[in-house]
Each structure stands twice: as C-alpha cells, then as structure tokens.
Amino acid sequence: MMEAYNRYFNRQVMLWGEETQAALQKKRIAIVGAGGLGSSLAIALGASGIGHLDIVDFDEVSEHNIHRQIAFKVGDEGKYKAELVARLVEERCPFVEATPFVMRFEAFAQKVRSYDLILDATDNLPSRAEIDRYAKTIGSPWVYGSVEAFNGQVCFIEKSSFDAFRIVEREPAGIAAPIVMHIASLQANLALRYLAGQSVKKDLLYYLYFDETGELVTQKFKMPV
C-alpha cells in the first residue's frame, strides 16, 4: 500500500519528501460550492493527497454550468454537484476520502466540525460573509476566490474580516471558462502550500485582470485586520 502511495505521489514526494506528503493525508478541508471553482479545487487538492475533503453544495447540474465546471459532462444535468464531484475525486485518487453534503451552507454551518482549512467556491458575497463567520467560529483560516468575465480575486484570510467587502445584490456579468480554472488553481496552490507547512502570504487580496492591451495584471491589497 505504501509503495503504491509513493508511486502515485512520486513527483510531490520529490518536491517535499515522504513525511510532508504523509502529513497531507491527515488534513481535513471543506470546499463550499461544487461548481466552477469548487470542482476544480476538489480535483486539484484531492489529487494532491489531502486526506479528507467535505464538499458542500445543494445545487444540481444545469446545462449552462458544464462549459466552466470541469467535473461535469453532458448527461449530468439534474444530478447533485456535490455527489458527482466527491465520486470523481475518489475515482482519481484512491488515497483520499471525499464526502458530499447536499445542503445549503446555512444548514452545514450548524454542524460543529474541525477543519484545517476552508475553501470558498461560492458565487455571492453574502455566502462568503457566512463562511467568514463560520471559519472564525471554529478557528479555521479560509481561502476566498471569485471570478467574473476575465477577472478574478483570491485571498488567504486568517485575521482579516470579510466585512471589508460591502455586501450588495447585483447582476453578475458573464464568465469565461479559463479564468475560473485559473483562480481555482491559485486558491489550490495557496491551500496546498499552507497545508504542506510552506509559507503563505495571509490577509493579502490578489486582484487579477486583463487590461485594454491584453496584458495580465495582478494588483495586491492588504486586507484590514
């Protein structure tokens, strides 16, 4: 079993050694949302050897989701996203456990659980404010991510408050599929570095966008603590 484990994670073991890779097996994370960001996060972190993933999403797959939500294919319409993502993660990596929670986050937050990290993969600010409150209640950091059009934001939140964002209702713009995967990749990299005991810049918001010339620009904003 250990031989098969080390073969599967060979390139990561080369990166940081067997001890760190084995430590990832003991980590538990929650991914809130199993759509565009969430399915990409679950695949990336499950394949990295995070031992326990809880995936929270009440929604079913719709046809208009599939172009940017890489866990789903035509024919999955009407199936619960959390269940499909959990099954895919376990099929890709036999060394992790992925548990779906088909419910709204408000109901999930009533459960008292312990997590090493929470990842936001929702699509609205009020839900992220709820995640922030929950994370601080259980003493866990969390990683915020959002996408719109060709733009995205990422932040590893530990001490800062999400109250810095003004919670408003607004009609979202469209979304290009690649930016969803790009932002999820940045979130996953922050998460993996943190869980592997490597340095992570916390409470710093990264804002990525393409300017009018097509150049990718990254701006950084320190979140108020």
Side-chain angles (χ1 to χ4, degrees), residues 46 84 94 122-123 139 160:
L84 290 176
T122 60
D123 61 1
S160 59

Side-chain angles (χ1 to χ4, degrees), residues 5 34 42 71 116 126 137 201 217:
Y5 180 86
D116 296 288
T137 297
K201 196 71 175 179
V217 179

Side-chain angles (χ1 to χ4, degrees), residues 55-69:
I55 302 168
V56 186
D57 198 309
F58 70 92
D59 203 8
E60 300 173 353
V61 177
S62 297
E63 185 179 14
H64 68 87
N65 299 143
I66 298 171
H67 92 282
R68 69 189 183 283
Q69 299 182 6

